[in-house]
Structure formats: structure tokens, C-alpha cells
């Protein structure tokens, strides 16, 4: 610890307790800052071009295009007849989006009563196919316009879709007619399950539209945050979505981002609003990300909801 202190004397990530205290000091006071919003939209547009690049489309990924996996070295997929036919023509979103809600899965949402607030947004983004059953509705809402799905969920929860696809298709119904956003070209083992998820939905005339995350977009967003002090190997899903929202929406509110084990009332908080299963090495990335998000909150660029909703 001593060595570490001498090598990095300039920047030290505040300890969790200090972050929590800082949030308490600031309270929920928030003032929108249009200059900050415009600046971040420009920064993100310059680095990552979310409008054009967030999904793999026929426009940005024509036949023969080499898609380099962002989560692995030297792996690529060359767009062929089969994959090209699965891509949407172009960015399908009606831009600009007005009020966006990005909903993380933090346990802080439990008993927050934020459901009504969230449902009032024009565009609601959620992470990793979260549960939206009755018991959570009051806290997390019911509507979804875009939901991410990691291929590892397809593997763990739905037996990789190698057997029955009914459980998968049925459990997707809570997301209505939203976009399902899958990083199909991030890790090699994730491609096949993502394609199977696509076919499971299209074969059953599901209302959902599959969008594959563009690995180039994920890579440039990763670099963007790395340059701002987020040193994790990979960004959390939530920070990708906040970045997307900052690039596409006129106003962004983030809910459920709280990677700490105590709340503002000093009571224990579970990791997720639906369980307390900690991810592998989760603590390395998320507090760093939270500090960045909190800076954006303080500067009026996005709004973080970390307490109860009125
Ligand atoms: O797959 P990943 O671990 O990134 O996400 P998750 O546990 O399904 O949660 C979705 C997102 O919510 C994360 O990516 C984080 O950005 C955020 N989150 C948070 O800020 N605090 C928590 N305690 C849990 C999740």
C-alpha cells in the first residue's frame, strides 16, 4: 500500500465511504446545464459517432466488411451473406431522443419508488434483461425501449438456446416492442448465441427488434472513458448506455447506479435490486465509473437519481 502511494501520489480514487459522504453533501440538488449537455454530445459525436455507429447496420457494415472483436485481440468476423441479412438497414431510432432514462441494476432502486418517474421518460434503456415482475414495478417501472442482453445470459439462463427457445421468447415479452441490444461481436464465443437469439425472436414473430452492438463503437467509447480515468479492462454495460444516451438524447437521467454496499442512510444495499450476486471483480470498475457519472451530475450534464423519487 505504501509503495502504491509513492508511485501514484497525484491521483487517488476516493474510498467508497468518501464518495458516499460527498454524494450526501451534494444531496439531490441538480441544475440542468445546456452547455455541458452540448459539450458532451459533441465530444461523444467526435470520438464515437453514436448516431451512425452504435449498432451494426447494413450502412456501416456492408458485405465483406471486417468487424474486429472489441473484447479480444486479433479476432474478426467478415460480414457475409448470412450475417448481412440480419443487420438493420440504418440507425432505426427517431433522433434526437428527448428525455431518456438509463436504468442500471443497482440495489439502490429497491424501495426507491422511481417506477413512475422512469416510465415518464420518452426513451427508457435497461441493462442485461433485468426482471420487471410485479414486485419491482413500483421501483423500476414497466416500460422499455432498449434493453441490452449479454450473450453470457443466453448461455446461463437459456441453455445457450440449444434446446427449447420458448422460455427465452416468453421471458422477452416484458420488454414489449423494444430493441434488444446484443454485443454479438465483442467476444468470439458470444457470436453464435447472439445469432441464435436473433433467430429465436424472428422465427416466433416477436415484437422485439434485435440490434447488434457495433464493436467499433464499443471500442471507441472504451477509449473515451479510459482517457478520463476509467481504467477497468472493460466498461460496465451501464456506462456504455449512459454514453449512448449522452450522444442521442436531449436530457439524460440515470437510475440504479450505486456500486456501494451502504446507502445514503447508512443501511446495507444489495448489489442488484433483485439479488446480491456480485460480479467478478466488480469493485474495480464501477466506483471509478460512478465518480465520472457524479462529476457529470454535479456539472448538470446528466441527472443521477440516487435516493427515493418524490
Ligand atoms: O453486466 P454488468 O455487471 O455490467 O451489469 P449489471 O450488474 O447487470 O448492472 C447493470 C449496470 O448497472 C452496470 O453495468 C452498472 O453500470 C450499473 N450498476 C451500478 O452502478 N451499481 C450496482 N450496484 C449495480 C449495477
Amino acid at each position: 500500500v505504501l509503495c502504491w502511494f509513492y508511485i501514484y501520489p497525484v491521483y487517488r480514487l476516493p474510498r467508497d465511504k468518501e464518495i458516499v459522504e460527498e454524494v450526501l453533501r451534494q444531496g439531490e440538488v441538480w441544475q440542468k446545464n445546456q452547455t455541458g449537455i452540448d459539450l458532451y454530445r459533441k465530444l461523444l459525436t467526435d470520438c464515437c459517432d453514436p448516431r451512425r455507429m452504435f449498432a451494426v447496420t447494413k450502412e456501416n457494415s456492408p458485405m465483406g466488411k471486417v468487424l474486429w472483436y472489441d473484447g479480444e485481440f486479433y479476432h474478426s468476423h467478415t460480414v457475409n451473406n448470412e450475417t448481412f441479412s440480419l443487420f438493420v438497414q440504418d440507425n432505426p431510432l427517431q433522433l434526437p431522443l428527448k428525455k431518456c432514462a438509463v436504468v442500471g441494476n443497482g440495489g439502490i432502486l429497491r424501495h426507491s419508488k422511481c417506477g413512475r418517474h422512469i416510465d415518464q421518460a420518452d426513451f427508457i434503456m435497461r441493462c442485461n434483461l433485468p426482471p420487471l415482475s410485479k414486485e419491482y414495478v413500483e421501483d423500476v417501472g414497466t416500460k422499455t425501449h432498449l434493453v441490452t442482453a449479454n450473450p453470457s445470459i443466453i448461455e446461463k439462463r437459456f441453455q445457450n438456446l440449444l434446446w427449447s427457445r420458448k422460455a427465452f421468447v416468453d421471458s422477452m415479452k416484458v420488454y414489449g416492442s423494444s430493441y434488444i441490444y446484443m454485443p454479438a461481436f465483442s467476444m468470439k464465443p458470444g457470436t453464435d448465441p447472439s445469432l441464435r437469439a436473433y433467430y429465436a425472436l424472428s422465427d416466433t414473430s416477436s415484437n422485439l427488434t434485435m440490434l447488434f452492438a457495433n464493436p467499433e463503437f464499443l471500442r471507441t467509447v472504451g477509449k473515451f472513458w479510459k482517457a478520463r480515468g476509467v481504467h477497468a479492462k472493460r466498461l460496465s454495460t451501464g456506462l456504455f448506455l449512459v454514453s449512448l444516451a449522452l450522444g442521442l438524447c436531449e436530457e439524460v437521467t440515470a437510475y440504479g447506479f450505486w456500486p456501494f454496499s451502504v446507502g445514503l442512510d447508512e443501511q446495507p444495499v444489495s448489489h442488484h435490486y433483485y439479488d446480491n450476486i456480485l460480479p467478478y471483480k466488480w469493485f474495480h470498475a464501477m466506483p471509478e465509473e460512478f465518480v465520472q457519472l457524479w462529476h457529470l451530475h454535479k456539472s448538470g450534464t446528466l441527472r443521477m437519481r440516487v435516493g427515493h423519487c418524490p
Side-chain angles (χ1 to χ4, degrees):
V1 173
L2 210 58
C3 287
W4 179 87
F5 181 78
Y6 284 116
I7 298 169
Y8 300 103
V10 184
Y11 180 75
R12 180 182 67 85
L13 186 74
R15 281 182 301 130
D16 290 7
K17 194 165 180 293
E18 290 167 344
I19 303 175
V20 176
E21 281 166 3
E22 139 87 16
V23 173
L24 260 180
R25 267 197 302 278
Q26 169 87 10
E28 291 262 341
V29 183
W30 186 78
Q31 180 135 29
K32 178 173 162 177
N33 167 7
Q34 194 58 47
T35 315
I37 294 174
D38 293 342
L39 172 70
Y40 260 79
R41 188 174 311 119
K42 177 159 177 11
L43 288 173
L44 281 157
T45 303
D46 291 349
C47 80
C48 318
D49 197 2
R51 283 171 177 251
R52 204 176 80 81
M53 292 302 291
F54 88 101
V56 178
T57 65
K58 288 191 164 75
E59 286 291 322
N60 65 33
S61 305
M63 199 88 85
K65 161 104 182 168
V66 178
L67 298 173
W68 289 96
Y69 284 70
D70 61 294
E72 303 200 51
F73 286 114
Y74 308 123
H75 274 97
S76 63
H77 169 81
T78 305
V79 178
N80 57 34
N81 266 328
E82 191 211 3
T83 46
F84 184 72
S85 68
L86 313 184
F87 304 160
V88 291
Q89 182 61 37
D90 205 353
N91 180 348
L93 306 178
Q94 292 276 339
L95 298 175
L97 303 171
K98 292 194 161 56
K99 287 189 181 185
C100 293
V102 182
V103 188
N105 288 335
I108 197 160
L109 274 169
R110 204 90 206 252
H111 310 304
S112 69
K113 298 214 174 5
C114 285
R116 219 166 32 87
H117 261 252
I118 293 172
D119 277 348
Q120 277 167 7
D122 302 303
F123 197 84
I124 301 164
M125 308 188 190
R126 301 186 192 266
C127 304
N128 295 324
L129 305 178
L132 297 178
S133 40
K134 253 198 180 141
E135 55 187 306
Y136 305 121
V137 162
E138 209 184 7
D139 297 328
V140 304
T142 55
K143 295 191 201 160
T144 306
H145 298 91
L146 181 146
V147 60
T148 69
N150 208 302
S152 65
I153 305 179
I154 304 294
E155 189 188 331
K156 286 190 208 121
R157 243 193 266 168
F158 304 104
Q159 295 81 43
N160 235 338
L161 293 176
L162 290 171
W163 302 90
S164 170
R165 294 166 175 210
K166 191 173 181 307
F168 173 69
V169 172
D170 285 349
S171 70
M172 291 298 106
K173 288 187 179 147
V174 289
Y175 307 112
S177 53
S178 64
Y179 295 101
I180 163 160
Y181 187 59
M182 288 196 78
F185 304 101
S186 288
M187 306 285 282
K188 198 89 182 161
T191 302
D192 284 352
S194 306
L195 301 188
R196 278 198 289 276
Y198 176 98
Y199 287 119
L201 295 173
S202 68
D203 291 354
T204 50
S205 320
S206 156
N207 290 332
L208 291 142
T209 304
M210 177 70 80
L211 292 176
F212 297 124
N214 195 315
E216 212 169 306
F217 175 69
L218 301 181
R219 184 180 298 109
T220 51
V221 171
K223 273 193 188 161
F224 178 86
W225 288 109
K226 196 167 192 169
R228 284 164 178 75
V230 178
H231 294 106
K233 189 157 177 270
R234 199 175 167 75
L235 297 183
S236 77
T237 311
L239 190 56
F240 278 120
L241 285 192
V242 168
S243 314
L244 181 63
L246 287 171
L248 302 183
C249 307
E250 285 173 357
E251 217 176 294
V252 181
T253 308
Y255 302 82
F257 287 78
W258 188 260
F260 311 110
S261 52
V262 287
L264 292 172
D265 52 5
E266 298 200 10
Q267 295 300 310
V269 178
S270 58
H271 183 58
H272 292 134
Y273 68 83
Y274 46 86
D275 69 27
N276 197 21
I277 299 173
L278 301 180
Y280 178 62
K281 287 189 178 172
W282 67 284
F283 40 86
H284 286 315
M286 287 190 197
E288 265 180 30
E289 295 184 357
F290 182 87
V291 169
Q292 296 296 325
L293 293 175
W294 195 250
H295 278 312
L296 293 178
H297 173 87
K298 283 198 293 188
S299 71
T301 306
L302 64 75
R303 182 168 195 172
M304 298 275 282
R305 283 272 178 197
V306 292
H308 292 235
C309 288

